[in-house]
DNA sequence: GTTATTTGACCTAC
DNA sequence: GTAGGTCAAATAAC
């Protein structure tokens, strides 16, 4: 598939994409970095975290690196020294993903007539939808869940091309797809990843929301890892459960000594923490302490000052990057006290 | 039993 | 006729 080098997104759309990506990676790092510090086997978590960060930053840098239509060539200041390049190829905003719904229906027709027109779909992909190309050494690590549906030897290449669609295509009608084409045999090998259509499955939004919950809610984080099915979320339980299972497999595991707290979390009523198993060590009391602190913090914005003051009382340094988020700092300090 | 992957066939644009 | 994208049955993994 030929990919044009032109960029047709508006400045506002490009900015929105960049902001979204940076915000996502910030939330991810903010949430998982304390876990990384206390994780018993941090390599896997670090790997996952780094890949997510690289992806989001790559997207953001690429968007910011695009010459704007209003800019003269003299202002085309490309950002060097990144080995990945992302090119937005089509003019239609990614949000326009509902169009292929009819195709989805057509695909389920039984028999040879089941397929309306694969080539027609391909043409639609090339002309009416967004697609963009990313070069990376970690083609499978982009924060989304994909299911492979095909593999093809491409003329003129030494490697097969793999075809993936969003795992939640059937559940949510998400039309996002991607193709992975290995480009060379270097160590590590470079891959060209072509994405088509933006996700409409809300997977990342969902994950971000959960991350936000757990970030502001250490007990909820534990509950998430220990008992994902118990989360009283909205009507999206299937996807939620799948995502949690996958995230659990990846990295979201707390040290065993943090498994003594459970909670009933209700987004409308706040956090209610109780200790199911009275701990013998002082760790649980510490954890309970900051969990309770968060419970209080939920009551109103005015308590944020209290939390920050307490964080300062714990020895926080104003220059400490964790101090950017008082909740995070509090969690971090208390976890450090557990060791 | 359920879910994911593999792989040959199918289909259409070029 | 060829190439590329997709389907779906068979198979593997969990």
């Amino acid at each position: 598939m030929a990919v044009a080098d032109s960029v047709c997104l508006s400045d506002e759309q490009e900015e929105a994409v960049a902001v979204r990506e940076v915000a996502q990676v910030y939330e991810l790092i903010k949430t998982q970095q304390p876990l990384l510090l206390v994780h018993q086997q941090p390599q896997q978590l670090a790997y996952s975290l780094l890949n997510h960060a690289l992806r989001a930053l790559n997207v953001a840098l690429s968007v910011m690196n695009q010459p704007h239509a209003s800019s003269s060539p003299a202002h085309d200041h490309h950002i060097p020294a990144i080995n990945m390049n992302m090119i937005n190829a089509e003019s239609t905003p990614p949000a326009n993903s509902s169009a292929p719904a009819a195709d989805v229906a057509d695909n389920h027709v039984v028999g040879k007539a089941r397929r309306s027109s694969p080539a027609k779909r391909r043409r639609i992909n090339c002309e009416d939808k967004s697609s963009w190309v990313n070069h990376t050494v970690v083609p499978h690590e982009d924060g989304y869940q994909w299911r492979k549906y095909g593999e093809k030897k491409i003329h003129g290449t030494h490697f097969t091309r793999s075809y993936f669609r969003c795992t939640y295509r059937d559940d949510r009608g998400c039309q996002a797809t991607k193709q992975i084409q290995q480009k060379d045999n270097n160590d590590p090998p470079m891959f060209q990843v072509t994405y088509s259509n933006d996700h409409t499955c809300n997977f990342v939004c969902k994950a971000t929301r959960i991350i936000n919950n757990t970030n502001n809610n250490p007990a909820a984080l534990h509950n998430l890892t220990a008992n994902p099915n118990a989360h009283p979320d909205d009507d999206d339980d299937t996807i939620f459960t799948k995502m949690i299972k996958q995230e659990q497999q990846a990295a979201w595991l707390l040290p065993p000594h943090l498994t003594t707290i459970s909670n009933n979390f209700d987004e409308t009523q706040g956090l209610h923490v109780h200790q199911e198993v009275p701990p013998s060590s002082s760790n649980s009391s510490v954890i309970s302490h900051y969990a309770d602190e968060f419970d209080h913090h939920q009551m109103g914005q005015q308590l944020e000052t209290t939390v920050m003051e307490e964080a300062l009382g714990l020895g926080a340094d104003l220059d400490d990057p964790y101090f950017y988020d008082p909740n995070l700092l509090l969690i971090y300090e208390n976890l450090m006290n557990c060791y």
Side-chain angles (χ1 to χ4, degrees), chain A residues 92-335:
Chain A
T92 305
N96 183 21
S97 302
S98 57
D103 286 337
V104 173
D106 290 342
N107 290 344
H108 289 86
V109 177
V110 178
K112 286 196 173 183
R114 59 184 157 76
R115 282 190 278 180
S116 61
S117 174
K120 181 181 178 182
R121 280 197 301 273
R122 184 175 60 199
R123 182 172 286 271
I124 289 173
N125 284 339
C126 293
E127 293 181 354
D128 297 336
K129 298 177 184 176
S130 62
S131 64
W132 58 98
V133 177
N134 190 18
H135 291 86
T136 178
V137 297
V138 285
H140 299 287
E141 300 292 339
D142 57 12
Y144 293 98
Q145 302 297 319
W146 302 96
R147 173 175 294 185
K148 187 176 181 179
Y149 66 87
E151 186 175 297
K152 199 80 173 181
K153 178 70 176 71
I154 301 302
H155 183 71
T157 66
H158 295 93
F159 307 97
T160 59
R161 176 178 297 172
S162 295
Y163 299 88
F164 297 84
R165 67 167 64 98
C166 178
T167 297
Y168 307 112
R169 189 189 74 150
D170 295 336
D171 293 340
R172 310 285 287 187
C174 181
Q175 294 298 305
T177 63
K178 79 171 180 181
Q179 304 171 2
I180 297 178
Q181 174 75 61
Q182 185 174 343
K183 304 302 290 184
D184 54 43
N185 251 339
N186 294 338
D187 186 23
M190 181 64 69
F191 296 87
Q192 175 179 299
V193 184
T194 303
Y195 295 90
S196 295
N197 305 324
D198 202 5
H199 285 265
T200 60
C201 57
N202 271 342
F203 175 82
V204 168
C205 296
K206 189 84 173 176
T208 302
R209 204 173 111 207
I210 294 165
I211 286 170
N212 288 339
N213 281 346
T214 54
N215 176 46
N216 295 325
N217 182 347
L221 175 58
H222 159 69
N223 196 44
L224 188 66
T225 57
N227 189 14
N229 293 325
H231 194 287
D233 206 6
D234 53 19
D235 57 351
D236 216 2
D237 290 341
T238 301
I239 292 175
F240 178 83
T241 303
K242 284 182 181 177
M243 189 276 286
I244 294 304
K245 282 168 62 179
Q246 289 154 346
E247 292 297 333
Q248 275 189 304
Q249 291 169 357
W252 288 32
L253 297 175
L254 284 174
H257 65 276
L258 296 185
T259 59
T260 54
I261 288 182
S262 66
N263 72 301
N264 297 311
F265 184 71
D266 188 301
E267 291 182 352
T268 61
Q269 298 179 3
L271 175 68
H272 308 282
V273 179
H274 65 276
Q275 289 180 289
E276 285 189 333
V277 181
S280 57
S281 70
S282 60
N283 292 345
S284 300
S285 61
V286 173
I287 299 165
S288 177
H289 166 71
Y290 71 71
D292 285 337
E293 283 299 332
F294 176 77
D295 195 8
H296 297 154
H297 183 68
Q298 286 286 85
M299 294 178 180
Q301 185 67 29
Q302 72 278 5
L303 288 180
E304 180 169 324
T305 301
T306 303
V307 175
M308 295 183 70
E309 288 173 350
E310 182 157 348
L312 283 170
L314 288 168
D317 185 346
L318 284 174
D319 294 329
D320 192 319
Y322 290 104
F323 199 77
Y324 183 84
D325 187 330
N327 285 331
L328 185 68
L329 175 67
L330 202 57
I331 295 170
Y332 169 70
E333 292 290 346
N334 282 286
L335 288 175

